[in-house]
Amino acid sequence: MSTTFIEGSIAVAKTVGVCRPQVISAYPITPQTHIVEHLSELVANGELKCEYVNVESEHSAASVVLGASATGARTYTATTSQGFLLMIEVLFNIAGMRLPIVMTCVNRAVSAPINIWNDQQDSLTARDSGWIQLYAEDNQEASDMHLQAFKIAENKDVMLPVMVCMDGFILTHSFDPIELITQEQADKFLPPFTPQYYLTPKNPLSFGTMVGPDGYMETRYFIEKTMHASLQVISDVAADFHNQFGRFQGGLIDTYKVEDASLVLVAMGSIIGTIKDIVDELRAKGQKIGVLKVRSYRPFPKDEIYKALSHVREIAVVEKAVSLGYGGILANEIKSVFYGKPKTPKINGYILGLGGRDITVDTIHQVIKDSVNVLSEEKFIGLNEALIKR
């Protein structure tokens, strides 16, 4: 295994390449562009034997990988923000047809107003589409997640698409030392895709056909049931990865110094790194504080979260998305974890970093100070008061 100082987008592209996708289709959109650019170079240079299909929109890109996957091909795409929203109709079809496509969602704000910078509003908007959603903390995890994603998606007990979410610009355009996965290692971890059902003239089948009220609800029931079953598969694949590569990139959640913590911050994505630094700083001053990373957002690992946080007095959920009219998306899901339980901690939700607003050490300190002083409130942190009062 080699360590290379490399841009996050290129690391992801190289990992996708060693997964041997047979069909890739994507439409370039900032800040996802470097991923698909590098993959197209690998194909053009003959380093990756794959059909790279240029299309005129993200809706078409999703449709191409849908069709290719239905024929039994291993497929991949990537997108972000408005392009992601343009895919949504097809995303529901892909999940409903049980096609194990892997997609990178480079997280970015959605319009209007037009904004190209990072938050997580795009992928969270499709939380109910039937896609497994995994969120990366750093570029090593983002790179490793893609190898795991194909193995999870193609598991015969899952057969659902997997979305790897990584923060736009913060991860995609930053350079880190990354342990890249070699072709030999990828082949050992990820077997060739051999679907049980696929379109072939030798055994004609139909996918995505009309189903009336007599059968539609059962299709949603089976996806819901499979989502819950995939919790174990995600954990098992993470364990397999650890056994082969010697590093554990989490399973469903990851915890940092929560065992004796009275206050735990909960978050997803690259913000976890900043929070860990502050946890270390406050721990040195005697404050019992920790952080829980939600790695698998769908399926939502409520039992694992409850087990990790059942002893905690206070929880502060920090997130870069909002359900307009109901507040923080992740905060409300964390509150649901404790519904009906005998002991419920104080849970506060904080929305910050929308549209690329900087999340600094001071921002997190403000969250911690506010969480200690107030009870179960949800609020925006880091607002420009001059604009609010104008």
Side-chain angles (χ1 to χ4, degrees), residues 1-8 10-11 14 140 175-181:
M1 186 176 298
S2 60
T3 299
T4 305
F5 191 65
I6 192 171
E7 187 188 78
I10 308 303
K14 289 184 177 298
Q140 183 69 66
F175 282 70
D176 289 306
I178 305 292
E179 292 189 9
L180 294 174
I181 297 167

Side-chain angles (χ1 to χ4, degrees), residues 20-190:
R20 299 187 186 275
Q22 294 158 303
V23 177
I24 296 173
S25 186
Y27 187 80
I29 178 171
T30 301
Q32 153 263 34
T33 313
H34 292 182
I35 297 175
V36 292
E37 277 183 349
H38 189 70
L39 282 167
S40 68
E41 289 175 4
L42 293 177
V43 175
N45 294 338
E47 299 174 57
L48 173 61
K49 293 182 179 179
C50 173
E51 190 73 25
Y52 190 102
V53 184
N54 286 314
V55 288
E56 75 283 4
S57 75
E58 289 85 354
H59 188 282
S60 298
S63 298
V64 165
V65 293
L66 180 154
S69 182
T71 67
R74 178 174 285 165
T75 57
Y76 170 82
T77 187
T79 189
T80 182
S81 186
Q82 303 306 115
F84 180 90
L85 298 185
L86 189 55
M87 281 185 171
I88 280 187
E89 177 193 356
V90 189
L91 298 186
F92 276 81
N93 279 317
I94 289 170
M97 295 167 70
R98 309 298 296 263
L99 300 174
I101 295 166
V102 170
M103 175 171 72
T104 308
C105 179
V106 175
N107 288 122
R108 202 191 93 179
V110 298
S111 303
I114 297 172
N115 179 292
I116 66 165
W117 290 276
N118 165 250
D119 64 34
Q120 296 171 339
Q121 192 69 52
D122 47 6
S123 56
L124 288 173
T125 301
R127 61 181 176 173
D128 302 326
S129 62
W131 282 65
I132 292 171
Q133 287 195 6
L134 306 176
Y135 286 78
E137 174 185 346
D138 53 38
N139 280 329
Q140 183 69 66
E141 185 172 29
S143 173
D144 294 345
M145 265 186 182
H146 285 80
L147 182 62
Q148 296 181 41
F150 281 105
K151 193 166 187 175
I152 295 166
E154 295 171 3
N155 184 294
K156 288 183 170 49
D157 293 327
V158 177
M159 292 301 289
L160 285 173
V162 176
M163 186 185 305
V164 177
C165 303
M166 61 186 299
D167 286 329
F169 294 114
I170 298 171
L171 294 184
T172 54
H173 287 59
S174 63
F175 282 70
D176 289 306
I178 305 292
E179 292 189 9
L180 294 174
I181 297 167
T182 66
Q183 188 63 68
E184 182 181 9
Q185 291 168 329
D187 291 343
K188 181 180 178 183
F189 183 82
L190 181 65

Side-chain angles (χ1 to χ4, degrees), residues 33 70 155 188 193 220 229 237 271 283 291 304 320 330 344:
T33 313
N155 184 294
K188 181 180 178 183
F193 179 38
R220 315 318 288 174
V237 170
I271 192 176
R283 281 268 172 182
V291 57
E304 288 74 12
K320 296 191 283 187
L330 181 60
T344 302

Side-chain angles (χ1 to χ4, degrees), residues 216-227:
Y216 179 85
M217 194 160 72
E218 284 71 19
T219 68
R220 315 318 288 174
Y221 166 77
F222 281 118
I223 293 176
E224 168 72 359
K225 192 175 179 181
T226 303
M227 271 284 185

Side-chain angles (χ1 to χ4, degrees), residues 137 270-279 359-362 364:
E137 174 185 346
S270 62
I271 192 176
I272 294 289
T274 304
I275 297 175
K276 284 180 177 175
D277 288 342
I278 296 167
V279 166
I359 301 174
T360 66
V361 169
D362 289 341
I364 302 301

